[in-house]
């Protein structure tokens, strides 16, 4: 292999730049030409690219977001769009492609390999941490730290005013971020989509805490949570607002809502994410150089491990029961 393309695609995540840096520098170290395309798959279709030098990725290891920019590309979901992208790559003599992104991007990658023989390796980057074949995705650790930092500040006010704070965390289908950040921030309750909780259970736990002298409570709610705290009038509200009102109605306590939103996606990557991204980016290039593709690089038990893209996509990432149980026990 002489030339490799690289894109960042889908939702951005802190550490994407560190992964790009590792792809470029390990590629150049191995004597391979690295071509970075802008705006994800759209850049492959529009031929928006730059040949990379070692200096092209200087001073980016500490930057959040992605210098290549990312995009959702509807055209790539069509056969014609993928054909155009593959033809452009072939015209440039590029036979391998590293995709730094989430599961949607990997589905696209799997198709361009199957249909056109472009050799693809995926590097998982998403703060949702919801991809199979890896224990952790790039960006997750930074997001956990960002949430903890926010909750520390919220706790100061919660203690001073003896209030219940309901904090809404990103995670439409999976509650990894709410769970890990909730455990690390010492949240009193953690609600995740995988485990619906009843309003009664939440209120019983709050009352139990107040009886033993707790002055405040932090409830972490993943945005995809459902439950019996939703009434008809609540259907257009986010779960945090619906839950907050339901608690106030039932217990008569004052509650406040904080929706952390997109601030969870930004910021300088943590040390852990920079190291993970550096290892994954370099490993992706190693795999392509060894003639291996159709894979996603992951970290399993702290080791780099490649899994076929289809297998990684078919896996349902599971919530760690031990952590879930522990967070409950420690917050009683
Ligand atoms: P993420 O990679 O973060 O999961 P998306 O799901 O938005 O983000 O996917 C990013 C891009 O990947 C899409 O805009 C599209 O170009 C491409 N993509 C997603 N799903 C498919 C699919 N089933 N077939 C082809 N391309 C896809």
């Amino acid at each position: 292999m002489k030339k490799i393309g690289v894109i960042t695609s889908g939702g951005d995540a802190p550490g994407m730049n560190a992964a790009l840096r590792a792809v470029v520098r390990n590629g150049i170290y191995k004597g391979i030409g690295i071509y970075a395309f802008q705006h994800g798959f759209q850049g492959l279709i529009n031929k928006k690219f730059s040949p990379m030098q070692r200096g092209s990725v200087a001073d980016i290891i500490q930057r959040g977001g992605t210098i290549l920019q990312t995009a959702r590309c509807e055209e790539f979901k069509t056969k014609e769009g993928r054909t155009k992208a593959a033809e452009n790559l072939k015209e440039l003599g590029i036979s391998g492609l590293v995709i730094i992104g989430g599961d949607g991007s990997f589905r696209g990658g799997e198709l361009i390999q199957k249909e056109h023989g472009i050799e693809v390796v995926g590097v998982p980057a998403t703060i949702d941490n919801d991809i199979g074949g890896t224990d952790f995705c790039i960006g997750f650790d930074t997001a956990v730290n960002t949430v903890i930092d926010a909750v520390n500040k919220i706790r100061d006010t919660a203690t001073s005013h003896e209030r219940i704070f309901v904090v809404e965390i990103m995670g439409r289908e999976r509650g990894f971020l709410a769970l890990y950040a909730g455990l690390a921030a010492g949240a009193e309750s953690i609600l995740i989509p995988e485990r619906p909780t009843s309003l009664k259970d939440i209120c019983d736990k709050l009352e139990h805490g107040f009886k033993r002298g707790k002055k405040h409570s932090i409830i972490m709610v993943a945005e995809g949570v459902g439950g019996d705290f939703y009434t008809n009038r609540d259907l257009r509200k986010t779960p945090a607002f619906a839950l907050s009102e339901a608690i106030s109605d039932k217990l008569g306590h004052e509650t406040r809502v904080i929706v952390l939103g997109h601030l969870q996606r930004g910021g300088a990557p943590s040390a852990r994410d920079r190291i993970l991204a550096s290892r994954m980016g370099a490993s992706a290039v190693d795999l392509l150089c060894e003639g291996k593709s159709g894979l996603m690089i992951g970290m399993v038990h702290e080791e780099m491990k490649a899994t076929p893209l289809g297998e990684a996509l078919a896996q349902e990432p599971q919530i760690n029961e031990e952590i879930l149980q522990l967070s409950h026990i420690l917050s009683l």
Side-chain angles (χ1 to χ4, degrees), residues 124-161:
T126 163
I127 66 160
D128 294 333
N129 210 45
D130 58 351
I131 301 181
T134 187
D135 293 340
F136 293 103
C137 299
I138 296 165
F140 177 65
D141 183 66
T142 306
V144 170
N145 280 291
T146 302
V147 173
I148 292 170
D149 191 39
V151 173
N152 288 344
K153 289 174 177 136
I154 293 163
R155 203 179 270 289
D156 289 344
T157 297
T159 318
S160 307
H161 290 270

Side-chain angles (χ1 to χ4, degrees), residues 6-24 36-37 39-41 52 57 59-72 98-106 122-128 131 137-142 265-270 272-282:
V6 57
I7 57 170
T8 52
S9 172
D12 66 308
M16 279 182 154
N17 283 327
L20 169 69
R21 173 178 176 271
V23 169
V24 170
F37 290 77
H39 302 116
F41 291 119
M52 303 300 271
V57 287
D59 208 23
I60 65 166
I61 195 168
Q62 77 283 13
R63 283 167 64 182
T66 158
I67 62 160
L68 294 184
Q69 299 183 291
T70 178
R72 318 260 180 208
V98 176
I99 301 173
I100 305 167
D103 57 349
S105 304
F106 298 159
V123 173
T126 163
I127 66 160
D128 294 333
I131 301 181
C137 299
I138 296 165
F140 177 65
D141 183 66
T142 306
R265 288 246 292 258
S270 65
R272 203 173 157 78
D273 273 333
R274 293 180 201 196
I275 293 165
L276 181 64
S278 299
R279 291 179 76 189
M280 284 181 166

